[in-house]
Amino acid sequence: MKSVAVEVLRYRPETEAEPSFDVFDVPYEDNWMILDAINHIKDQVDGTLSYRWACRMGVCGSCGMMVNGKPVLTCATYVEDVLPGPVRVEPLRGFPVVRDLVTDIQDFMVKLQRVKPWIIREEEKPLAEGEYLQTPEELEDYKQYSMCINCMLCYAACPIYELDPEFIGPAAIALAQRYNLDSRDQGREERMDVLSQHDGMWGCTFVGDCSVVCPKKVDPAGAIQRYKLDATVDWFQSVLMPWRKR
Ligand code: SF4
């Protein structure tokens, strides 16, 4: 088997004041992902290594880490694609580290809830009247944004979030758009109230790295720019046609 040096950031707060790197010589096969290499370290070398993973097929969004300085899903990144070594594995940038490769995601969870990522109705129709039907075209309008798996790679890639942790961030805005564009939803104004604040969409300077790293092609940068356009149109309408509600 071939082998590669893997440098893993370790931080055990009960014994260490600062994080440091441990280097492991990891044998690998052609089809191994970075997650396979980390699992090898955990299973065969050091069982104390801490990290998150679950589905192993790019769906759960829990195995995001920095690999050679880039945010990736480790279950979807081949070892072969990051050679030659050493391969450096670190926790997602921009989030506090709890232990080793495990980050504290509470900030993201709070921000996500602020944009109310669920269908809001002014008034629910009675169940007897059936479902809220939707055409394929209406589905297509928001489908791209519904692919988000909350992996937070876009936050780790976002220079604004790194500089200003108050910024609500790419995925939260993309998910707000996912519901705004859903023909069954009526919560657009509530979300606009949140995203128009100083820590909302206007903080984005359209660097675009969030869309580059997104493993599900959600395009949060595009969602943010579309949201800005909507907000601008709203503002002009409120000035020129105050009687008209969008
Ligand atoms: S927008 Fe993309 S990168 Fe960001 S959390 Fe969703 S899936 Fe991950």
Side-chain angles (χ1 to χ4, degrees):
M1 272 176 104
K2 294 171 276 190
S3 70
V4 62
V6 180
E7 301 173 346
V8 182
L9 193 96
R10 306 300 303 271
Y11 176 54
R12 289 146 289 202
E14 68 278 8
T15 55
E16 295 165 347
E18 295 288 334
S20 59
F21 284 94
D22 280 353
V23 184
F24 302 91
D25 190 39
V26 179
Y28 69 95
E29 296 177 20
D30 288 347
N31 59 355
W32 273 32
M33 302 294 179
I34 297 292
L35 182 60
D36 294 314
I38 297 170
N39 283 343
H40 171 88
I41 296 169
K42 171 98 176 167
D43 294 343
Q44 307 294 334
V45 186
D46 184 347
T48 68
L49 180 61
S50 299
Y51 53 102
R52 291 193 184 99
W53 69 286
C55 76
R56 209 175 184 176
M57 53 187 187
V59 173
C60 74
S62 63
C63 72
M65 299 172 204
M66 307 300 293
V67 174
N68 288 348
K70 292 185 186 153
V72 297
L73 291 182
T74 53
C75 74
T77 305
Y78 284 103
V79 172
E80 292 275 3
D81 287 347
V82 294
L83 296 179
V87 180
R88 180 163 278 206
V89 181
E90 299 166 86
L92 277 186
R93 184 166 49 214
F95 295 93
V97 178
V98 177
R99 184 183 181 85
D100 294 340
L101 301 166
V102 178
T103 53
D104 180 351
I105 61 172
Q106 183 64 12
D107 182 57
F108 173 65
M109 299 310 291
V110 169
K111 285 173 173 165
L112 201 53
Q113 284 192 35
R114 281 182 59 204
V115 302
K116 304 182 182 177
W118 53 80
I119 286 179
I120 296 171
R121 299 288 305 174
E122 286 165 10
E123 198 176 335
E124 291 284 354
K125 66 181 182 182
L127 278 179
E129 289 183 22
E131 357 27 345
Y132 295 95
L133 296 177
Q134 204 164 48
T135 66
E137 291 75 26
E138 287 170 334
L139 169 65
E140 207 52 45
D141 213 19
Y142 68 84
K143 189 176 171 191
Q144 172 191 8
Y145 303 128
S146 73
M147 305 307 280
C148 177
I149 55 173
N150 298 345
C151 66
M152 294 168 290
L153 301 192
C154 52
Y155 284 76
C158 176
I160 305 302
Y161 184 64
E162 196 176 8
L163 288 172
D164 177 12
E166 297 296 310
F167 176 45
I168 198 159
I173 300 175
L175 281 164
Q177 275 294 49
R178 178 255 172 271
Y179 287 93
N180 286 345
L181 297 172
D182 190 319
S183 58
R184 301 163 296 181
D185 181 81
Q186 297 170 322
R188 185 174 180 281
E189 284 188 24
E190 287 183 42
R191 295 189 197 97
M192 189 63 86
D193 287 345
V194 174
L195 293 173
S196 302
Q197 293 173 17
H198 71 282
D199 54 359
M201 61 189 155
W202 301 107
C204 171
T205 56
F206 200 29
V207 173
D209 285 349
C210 52
S211 294
V212 173
V213 302
C214 177
K216 307 309 269 188
K217 303 198 180 340
V218 172
D219 189 14
I224 296 169
Q225 302 322 306
R226 186 168 174 181
Y227 222 132
K228 286 179 178 175
L229 188 63
D230 288 349
T232 306
V233 171
D234 276 1
W235 184 81
F236 274 109
Q237 280 193 350
S238 69
V239 172
L240 300 174
M241 296 179 283
W243 62 89
R244 185 171 163 185
K245 193 179 173 194
R246 286 200 75 196

